[in-house]
Amino acid sequence: MTQSTKQPSLLQALIPLLALIIMLASSVYFFGEDSSYGPNQIALWVASGIALIIGFKNGFSWAQIEEGITDGISVALGAMLIILAVGSLIGTWLLSGTVPTLIYYGLELLNPSLFYAASCIICGVVALSIGSSWTTAATIGVALMGVASGMGLEPAIAAGAIVSGAYFGDKMSPLSDTTNLAPAVAGTDLFSHIRYMGYTAIPAFVISVVIFLFLGLNADTNVSLVRLQEMQSQLGSTFNIGWEMLVPLAVLLYLAATRKPALPTVFFGALLGGVWALIFQPDMVEQMAGETGLLAGIKVVWLAMSDGTTVSTGSTNLDSLLSGGGMVSMLNTLWLILSAMTFGAIMEKLGLLKRFIQGMLKASKSVGSLITGTIFTCFGANVLTADQYMAIVLPGRMFKEEYARRNLDPRVLSRTLEDSGTITSALIPWNTCGAYMFSVLAVSPFEYGIYAFFNYLTPLIAIVFAYTGWTILYLKPESHTQTQTQNA
């Protein structure tokens, strides 16, 4: 804040948030599942306008606010570029036979009754190996959604299982960016942080798998063997199916596991998928091009990366499943992210977010209420700033001093930041993570959110532990003295 600007009141901090909540609820009521295709974006713009009025009243100039918006949006630019690259990857992997091959073998190997639990575990293992929930959802997740469709299973539950597993693996992986960020903000080391997270993450994951197992065993899985064989036959007659089609996936997972940068890794995966389509799916490429020749094939791949792939198998359901991708398919997601980041940037620049957190701190009398307040603040930051990194960094900075004052081990703060800041991001439709999951799984967070058990069981378990005191660590007296000396 400068001398010419005023500190906002708690009421001023709450007004834009309450207005946004009312408008988003109205958007869902009026437009249903189409609310993310424009209405939610307009709600975010209107809420931004309300925050702007408060900012002008408190003495901020447009130049100051515009600078804050620019800085805020720049935080998400890397993620937005990755989202565009993922659009191209999905387009070429559909064309190359990579996704159809995964679906083909998934129909052959996975039991419908065990599908939800198996999907959760598979995504957990893959995300743990590569450290990315986004890559897991865009590759294995897309294929599992196809298998679920072929088995006649509920897509919202399948998406919830994929998101649950992907976020468990991401959270527990030393390769994950958020898993590295949280201990850095809190002031502890990576592997101590991961071990300590196990107290909340592992019980939440085990409970989630058990619930998915129960849902699968009680699901209506009376899908006929004839139907599955028919679907496999259509896949086999449309694409060349074989293990060699999975090479692009293997290369991508290797690059991710060896911590190569995400954007070039994903885009290279998209280009490799295009090459694989030219080599292994010449009949389909020729059919789409309407002519023969290498240049005609390159044109088809080019269009798959930009506009996506359209497949004709003779089955309406399969055509819908195997058609999509391309950068164009991600533009609505980027619109939503830009709108949300604009709102969050304005709230932060005007000090409205900080004022909201200060009000939370005043109400935190016990350690239990402090940790609970941190969890809700991280969730609120995910709602307001629409970015999981902001939901870790901002609360982490603001609560760090209070945790030290109460002699709490830094691992308590780092775990709490992940238990809410990382995990709840996928539950919010306009957050970069929720919007991304919607774009790749084609199921809205409004639909899969109730089934993403891990993503809300983790913060709930953390709150229980906070009030019971179980697993809450305190600094030894000498460590606390040392910390105070360093902070002085």
Side-chain angles (χ1 to χ4, degrees):
M1 298 291 166
T2 64
Q3 291 182 344
S4 60
T5 59
K6 294 190 302 184
Q7 290 279 354
S9 66
L10 182 58
L11 178 61
Q12 288 178 328
L14 288 172
I15 286 173
L17 176 59
L18 292 174
L20 178 61
I21 291 171
I22 291 169
M23 285 186 288
L24 289 173
S26 301
S27 172
V28 174
Y29 176 77
F30 287 123
F31 304 104
E33 62 183 19
D34 293 327
S35 61
S36 293
Y37 291 93
N40 285 350
Q41 287 88 327
I42 299 303
L44 287 159
W45 276 74
V46 173
S48 298
I50 294 171
L52 271 178
I53 294 171
I54 294 171
F56 291 143
K57 183 177 182 298
N58 288 345
F60 283 88
S61 67
W62 168 245
Q64 289 174 301
I65 297 172
E66 186 179 34
E67 181 185 11
I69 293 172
T70 304
D71 291 342
I73 289 175
S74 66
V75 172
L77 283 179
M80 289 161 60
L81 291 173
I82 291 171
I83 287 172
L84 287 174
V86 166
S88 287
L89 181 137
I90 292 173
T92 61
W93 282 23
L94 287 169
L95 182 65
S96 68
T98 300
V99 171
T101 296
L102 285 168
I103 295 173
Y104 183 93
Y105 290 125
L107 290 171
E108 196 169 89
L109 300 175
L110 289 173
N111 185 315
S113 297
L114 302 176
F115 177 81
Y116 299 138
S119 296
C120 186
I121 294 170
I122 290 169
C123 289
V125 171
V126 172
L128 181 66
S129 303
I130 66 174
S132 173
S133 56
W134 282 29
T135 303
T136 301
T139 53
I140 303 297
V142 169
L144 288 171
M145 289 300 295
V147 176
S149 175
M151 292 180 173
L153 295 170
E154 178 58 49
I157 302 178
I162 291 164
V163 170
S164 291
Y167 271 81
F168 168 74
D170 185 308
K171 180 182 169 74
M172 298 301 292
S173 174
L175 304 178
S176 168
D177 47 6
T178 55
T179 305
N180 281 269
L181 179 62
V185 170
T188 187
D189 70 277
L190 174 62
F191 290 101
S192 294
H193 166 67
I194 292 174
R195 287 192 296 270
Y196 190 57
M197 278 199 301
Y199 288 115
T200 52
I202 292 174
F205 183 69
V206 171
I207 294 170
S208 299
V209 171
V210 170
I211 296 173
F212 285 125
L213 185 61
F214 176 80
L215 290 173
L217 292 173
N218 288 275
D220 180 14
T221 55
N222 294 324
V223 58
S224 68
L225 185 62
V226 173
R227 180 184 169 187
L228 293 180
Q229 289 175 338
E230 181 182 340
M231 190 173 183
Q232 284 184 304
S233 175
Q234 289 170 331
L235 285 168
S237 61
T238 307
F239 297 92
N240 290 319
I241 301 294
W243 292 106
E244 64 273 19
M245 306 307 161
L246 303 182
V247 169
L249 172 63
V251 171
L252 183 74
L253 293 180
Y254 170 76
L255 292 174
T258 53
R259 306 202 70 177
K260 297 298 186 291
L263 178 59
T265 292
V266 173
F267 195 65
F268 178 75
L271 292 173
L272 185 59
V275 172
W276 241 241
L278 294 174
I279 296 172
F280 293 104
Q281 309 296 340
D283 294 339
M284 168 163 282
V285 170
E286 183 180 326
Q287 179 187 345
M288 289 183 172
E291 56 183 309
T292 59
L294 179 61
L295 291 179
I298 290 173
K299 181 181 177 182
V300 170
V301 172
W302 198 323
L303 287 174
M305 295 181 73
S306 61
D307 291 345
T309 298
T310 302
V311 176
S312 296
T313 64
S315 167
T316 304
N317 291 335
L318 200 56
D319 290 349
S320 174
L321 178 65
L322 297 176
S323 299
M327 288 192 180
V328 169
S329 69
M330 299 297 182
L331 294 182
N332 184 73
T333 300
L334 297 188
W335 179 21
L336 183 60
I337 291 170
L338 277 171
S339 301
M341 293 302 294
T342 299
F343 174 70
I346 292 172
M347 291 289 289
E348 184 185 1
K349 182 65 177 180
L350 301 182
L352 298 174
L353 183 60
K354 184 177 180 180
R355 182 66 186 87
F356 179 76
I357 292 176
Q358 286 173 342
M360 188 80 71
L361 266 174
K362 288 181 180 178
S364 301
K365 305 298 182 185
S366 65
V367 169
S369 62
L370 175 64
I371 293 173
T372 302
T374 308
I375 288 171
F376 279 102
T377 301
C378 291
F379 178 75
N382 265 322
V383 171
L384 292 172
T385 67
D387 183 78
Q388 65 175 346
Y389 302 108
M390 299 290 282
I392 291 172
V393 173
L394 286 177
R397 287 174 179 168
M398 293 176 182
F399 281 99
K400 186 176 181 179
E401 185 178 335
E402 185 65 19
Y403 274 68
R405 191 182 71 79
R406 301 198 189 195
N407 201 29
L408 289 164
D409 190 293
R411 284 174 290 177
V412 178
L413 176 58
S414 67
R415 185 180 77 179
T416 305
L417 293 174
E418 285 241 67
D419 283 344
S420 184
T422 302
I423 301 300
T424 62
S425 58
L427 303 177
I428 300 162
W430 57 90
N431 188 283
T432 52
C433 297
Y436 176 85
M437 291 299 164
F438 180 34
S439 67
V440 297
L441 301 179
V443 181
S444 168
F446 285 124
E447 297 176 75
Y448 73 64
I450 191 174
Y451 300 109
F453 301 114
F454 175 77
N455 297 64
Y456 58 80
L457 280 174
T458 302
L460 288 176
I461 290 173
I463 290 172
V464 171
F465 287 177
Y467 280 104
T468 60
W470 196 63
T471 76
I472 304 302
L473 301 178
Y474 291 86
L475 289 170
K476 295 177 181 179
E478 58 270 21
S479 299
H480 184 46
T481 304
Q482 206 170 40
T483 303
Q484 287 182 320
T485 303
Q486 290 171 352
N487 290 339

